[in-house]
């Protein structure tokens, strides 16, 4: 048991404790071969794919190079809106912070415009957080709508969102949305409209509750990204795969889940973020788990997804992948984790979501200096 444990932990303990010279030479040789293999096997292929091997079948995304490849330069010839127009669909009486976090994070990263479509009760509160956001108080909850009015009100909500849809580069659906049945029904129609308009969507929070119970909303849509936390992921696995989460085969199960749903990109949040192209992002990170970090992530992924999509359309030769949803997920995950790390270094246990948001710009500048 001692020898087995030493091998699994990197051979350090066995080298010190074993008395056999032959055994020590064997372990030294294995270490050397392991280092050589890690550093030299398929080097050219890894560089071209923009990823690097970690262990087993797991792939660690080369997140910083992805960030550099898809982040646009600041060009004085560009006009307002070309760096991204993001819309958040969420915010109700109980939850006003989540849509704000997602929308303001998009601006802090570099999007030009950020909209929030929320309920009337939430609008004034969200507007008070920042004048930078464009807030649309158009969503309705059941308590404010009579049964005989629901069809008419639903049509008005959809018509209001439709007026703006073609302007958006990405939607974030779910932060602070709540689970009111009428509100969710309206958002279902908005998702369908986004698909018809070929607008990418990032689904988080209560948006995941909605699509878990109505998988046809996102099934087969390659421009959809789902960002479940541990509990949201568990519900998806139980619903779609009819089994429990298997952490021993995490990547394989994530792939199966994405494939069964059909064409979507999954970003499973955790100590390491797993992305359904069998890629993980584990650089940076913070032990502090304050609420709201998922909202920052969804806003971040939305911006980077839109940037990746534009870069691919422009034929950028530095981008080998043609999947903007996957690239946006990698970049959003890495930047969020770096900002959380910097905030924790400064604030430690008192780190809040607002602290992390303030480090988004510096984090991106560290990796992609303005040029």
């Amino acid at each position: 048991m001692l020898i087995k444990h030493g091998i699994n932990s990197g051979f350090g303990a066995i080298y010190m404790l074993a008395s056999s010279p032959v055994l020590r030479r064997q372990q030294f040789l294995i270490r050397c071969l392991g280092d050589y293999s890690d550093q030299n096997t398929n080097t050219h292929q890894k560089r071209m794919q923009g990823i690097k091997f970690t262990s087993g079948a797991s792939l660690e995304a080369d997140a910083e190079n992805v960030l550099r490849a898809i982040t646009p330069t600041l060009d004085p010839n560009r006009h307002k809106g070309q760096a991204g127009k993001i819309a958040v669909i969420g915010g109700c009486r109980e939850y006003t912070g989540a849509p704000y976090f997602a929308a303001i994070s998009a601006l802090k990263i570099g999007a030009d415009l950020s909209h929030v479509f929320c309920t009337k009760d939430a609008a004034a509160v969200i507007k008070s957080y920042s004048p930078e956001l464009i807030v649309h108080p158009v969503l309705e909850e059941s308590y404010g709508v009579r049964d005989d009015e629901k069809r008419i009100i639903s049509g008005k909500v959809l018509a209001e969102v439709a007026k703006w849809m073609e302007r958006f580069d990405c939607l974030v659906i779910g932060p602070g949305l709540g689970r009111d049945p009428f509100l969710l029904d309206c958002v279902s129609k908005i998702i369908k409209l986004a698909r018809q308009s070929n607008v990418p969507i990032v689904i988080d929070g209560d948006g995941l509750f909605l699509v878990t119970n109505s998988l046809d909303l996102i099934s087969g849509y390659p421009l959809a990204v789902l960002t479940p936390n541990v509990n949201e992921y568990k519900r998806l696995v139980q619903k779609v795969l009819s089994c429990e989460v298997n952490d021993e085969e995490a990547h394989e199960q994530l792939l199966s889940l994405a494939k069964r749903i059909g064409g979507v990109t999954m970003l499973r949040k955790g100590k390491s973020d797993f992305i359904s192209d069998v890629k993980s992002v584990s650089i940076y990170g913070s032990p502090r788990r304050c609420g709201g970090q998922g909202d920052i992530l969804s806003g971040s992924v939305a911006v980077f997804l839109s940037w990746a999509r534009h870069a691919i359309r422009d034929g950028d030769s530095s981008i080998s992948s043609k999947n903007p949803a996957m690239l946006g997920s990698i970049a959003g995950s890495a930047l969020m984790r770096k900002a959380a790390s910097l905030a924790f270094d400064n604030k430690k246990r008192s780190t809040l979501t607002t602290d992390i948001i303030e480090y988004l710009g510096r984090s991106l500048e560290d990796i992609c200096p303005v040029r």
Side-chain angles (χ1 to χ4, degrees):
M1 292 298 292
L2 176 60
I3 291 176
K4 182 178 180 180
H5 176 75
I7 291 174
N8 288 339
S9 60
F11 309 110
I14 192 170
Y15 182 78
M16 296 176 62
L17 296 176
S19 59
S20 167
V22 174
L23 183 58
R24 288 200 299 270
R25 285 195 297 272
Q26 289 175 339
Q27 301 307 325
F28 177 75
L29 178 60
I30 292 172
R31 286 202 306 277
C32 292
L33 290 173
D35 290 342
Y36 179 84
S37 175
D38 288 343
Q39 295 172 14
N40 294 282
T41 303
N42 295 328
T43 300
H44 176 71
Q45 182 181 2
K46 297 172 200 173
R47 184 167 57 247
M48 293 300 292
Q49 293 175 343
I51 54 178
K52 60 183 180 180
F53 283 99
T54 50
S55 61
S58 173
L59 295 173
E60 175 74 9
D62 191 356
E64 290 194 353
N65 277 337
V66 170
L67 277 162
R68 295 186 187 102
I70 67 177
T71 300
T73 59
L74 291 178
D75 186 344
N77 294 317
R78 288 176 175 265
H79 58 74
K80 181 177 68 177
Q82 284 188 305
K85 302 176 291 295
I86 307 302
V88 177
I89 312 296
C92 61
R93 281 187 301 173
E94 291 84 1
Y95 308 115
T96 58
Y100 165 75
F101 291 149
I104 202 68
S105 295
L107 290 179
K108 288 287 188 177
I109 289 170
D112 287 338
L113 296 168
S114 195
H115 297 245
V116 177
F117 290 81
C118 59
T119 67
K120 294 180 175 65
D121 290 332
V125 180
I126 296 172
K127 286 182 179 182
S128 73
Y129 294 150
S130 173
E132 305 287 349
L133 305 180
I134 303 168
V135 182
H136 306 260
V138 300
L139 301 182
E140 296 278 2
E141 294 181 85
S142 298
Y143 73 90
V145 182
R146 298 199 310 265
D147 288 344
D148 60 341
E149 295 178 326
K150 287 183 176 179
R151 188 170 63 85
I152 296 173
I153 297 299
S154 177
K156 289 181 178 180
V157 170
L158 191 63
E160 184 64 28
V161 177
K163 290 192 306 185
W164 294 87
M165 185 64 73
E166 66 178 16
R167 309 185 191 189
F168 298 137
D169 295 295
C170 190
L171 300 186
V172 180
I173 295 178
L177 186 62
R179 298 184 180 183
D180 178 80
F182 179 71
L183 181 55
L184 292 180
D185 182 65
C186 290
V187 173
S188 296
K189 293 180 172 64
I190 293 173
I191 293 175
K192 294 175 182 178
L193 178 63
R195 291 190 63 164
Q196 293 169 6
S197 305
N198 209 34
V199 175
I201 51 178
V202 178
I203 301 179
D204 188 40
D206 291 316
L208 289 166
F209 173 81
L210 171 62
V211 301
T212 298
N213 294 300
S214 303
L215 290 170
D216 60 299
L217 290 173
I218 43 89
S219 179
Y221 191 47
L223 292 176
V225 178
L226 278 60
T227 62
N229 61 23
V230 60
N231 291 320
E232 293 158 347
Y233 184 73
K234 180 180 180 180
R235 287 193 289 268
L236 273 167
V237 168
Q238 291 173 339
K239 174 74 173 184
V240 179
L241 301 179
S242 301
C243 63
E244 296 301 321
V245 174
N246 183 352
D247 287 324
E248 292 183 359
E249 298 180 358
H251 283 100
E252 291 79 4
Q253 188 173 62
L254 187 63
L255 273 176
S256 297
L257 180 61
K259 183 176 181 180
R260 186 74 64 85
I261 294 174
V264 302
T265 294
M266 301 284 303
L267 197 173
R268 178 188 174 186
K269 297 178 286 194
K271 181 180 178 181
S272 293
D273 293 336
F274 291 148
I275 299 166
S276 53
D277 240 0
V278 198
K279 293 176 175 62
S280 63
V281 179
S282 59
I283 58 171
Y284 310 120
S286 165
R288 177 77 167 109
R289 292 291 184 268
C290 55
Q293 294 182 72
D295 305 311
I296 300 176
L297 178 64
S298 61
S300 302
V301 170
V303 175
F304 287 117
L305 193 167
S306 67
W307 286 353
R309 198 177 185 210
H310 283 294
I312 292 169
R313 283 175 174 174
D314 293 342
D316 191 328
S317 60
S318 66
I319 301 175
S320 58
S321 172
K322 301 302 179 185
N323 183 352
M326 183 268 289
L327 294 172
S329 297
I330 291 172
S333 172
L335 191 73
M336 159 64 202
R337 295 171 70 91
K338 182 171 176 60
S341 177
L342 291 175
F344 181 77
D345 287 345
N346 187 44
K347 298 286 188 174
K348 296 298 188 282
R349 291 182 186 274
S350 66
T351 302
L352 299 177
T353 304
T354 48
D355 299 318
I356 299 172
I357 290 171
E358 288 306 310
Y359 279 100
L360 288 171
R362 174 179 159 184
S363 298
L364 187 56
E365 179 65 16
D366 287 348
I367 299 170
C368 308
V370 172
R371 55 193 187 280

